[in-house]
Amino acid sequence: MTDSIDLDEIEAGAESEEGETPNHGDWFWRGEGDPDAEAEASDDSDVTGGVEAGSTGSETTVPHVPRENRNRPVGMPTEQGGAGGASARQAAEDERNDGGVPEDASGPHGGGVDEMTMAFTYEAAKRLTDPGFVFAGAAWADWVGLVGEVDAHVLNKFQRENGIDADFFNGSGTGPAERLAEITEMSMFFAERMVLVGTADEEWIAEEAGWEFVPVGTAAEKAGWELD
């Protein structure tokens, strides 16, 4: 695994090809392309994307990280009943020390860098009429997370009650901005674009973490989500 990734080179390479179609999800973030034309977009993961209108999302495969202890909350230490709470930097260092990273790896997964990671704040997610539907249907994002200025058990309860299995969220003792800032080139959730959807007074979270920020109202209008 390389120590760093030059995103400028990645973007320059992508723009060098004339006539290239917009990236998956650009219709949402940049107003380019057609969402209907992306319905059959290729997806190398085993995640099921779109859901039917009116569905609660409970019958779809929600984006998640496959793991043996799925019944335990991610982001919390195993000794506290969680599935693990190591930071991205520590996890990457442990993997390198174990010899599990090939020298020619070109991304955090041993391959190319993903296109987009999206996170919702807890306050923004609460405004969604059907959070489970939104999380399951966010097919343009490679990874979807949930962060907030609340305890980990509050985020766990919210996910359980709404049929959500977020790929990552902040645990007790870790603030939302700190959790997002941990998603560096060494993290499996790292992507070319990292976007936080939050309420108007939560833009500071994205600023501290170095993420893009989109107000939940703007995101809902573009994606057709209903707000409560």
Side-chain angles (χ1 to χ4, degrees):
M1 180 181 293
T2 55
D3 293 332
S4 63
I5 298 175
D6 190 344
L7 295 182
D8 292 334
E9 292 184 2
I10 296 176
E11 294 178 356
E15 295 174 355
S16 62
E17 300 181 9
E18 295 183 1
E20 184 178 359
T21 58
N23 291 328
H24 190 58
D26 275 356
W27 66 270
F28 181 85
W29 304 110
R30 296 177 175 174
E32 301 174 0
D34 184 356
D36 295 333
E38 297 185 345
E40 301 297 330
S42 61
D43 187 355
D44 295 334
S45 67
D46 60 353
V47 174
T48 300
V51 295
E52 297 181 358
S55 168
T56 61
S58 59
E59 297 181 357
T60 63
T61 302
V62 181
H64 68 283
V65 179
R67 55 182 185 275
E68 295 180 358
N69 48 355
R70 288 190 57 189
N71 61 328
R72 297 184 178 184
V74 181
M76 296 182 64
T78 53
E79 60 270 17
Q80 297 182 14
S87 68
R89 297 183 181 89
Q90 184 62 49
E93 183 178 350
D94 292 343
E95 189 174 4
R96 287 197 303 273
N97 293 337
D98 292 339
V101 180
E103 293 182 358
D104 59 349
S106 59
H109 320 131
V113 179
D114 289 326
E115 292 184 3
M116 181 179 293
T117 295
M118 180 173 64
F120 289 84
T121 66
Y122 175 62
E123 294 299 325
K126 287 195 302 180
R127 291 196 57 195
L128 300 171
T129 300
D130 193 342
F133 171 78
V134 172
F135 272 72
W140 57 81
D142 298 285
W143 306 101
V144 183
L146 178 67
V147 296
E149 295 183 279
V150 294
D151 293 334
H153 71 85
V154 176
L155 298 180
N156 278 323
K157 180 180 179 182
F158 181 80
Q159 293 183 79
R160 183 174 63 252
E161 292 178 344
N162 291 281
I164 296 171
D165 188 6
D167 295 313
F168 61 89
F169 63 95
N170 60 291
S172 298
T174 303
E178 182 181 358
R179 179 66 184 96
L180 296 182
E182 285 185 337
I183 302 179
T184 66
E185 291 88 344
M186 297 297 182
S187 171
M188 67 183 300
F189 305 125
F190 181 77
E192 292 184 33
R193 299 187 65 196
M194 296 189 288
V195 181
L196 176 68
V197 178
T199 60
D201 59 347
E202 292 180 315
E203 187 171 359
W204 66 270
I205 298 176
E207 291 178 351
E208 287 192 7
W211 284 44
E212 295 180 40
F213 178 79
V214 177
V216 64
T218 302
E221 181 178 358
K222 290 186 176 182
W225 301 332
E226 292 185 6
L227 297 180
D228 187 358

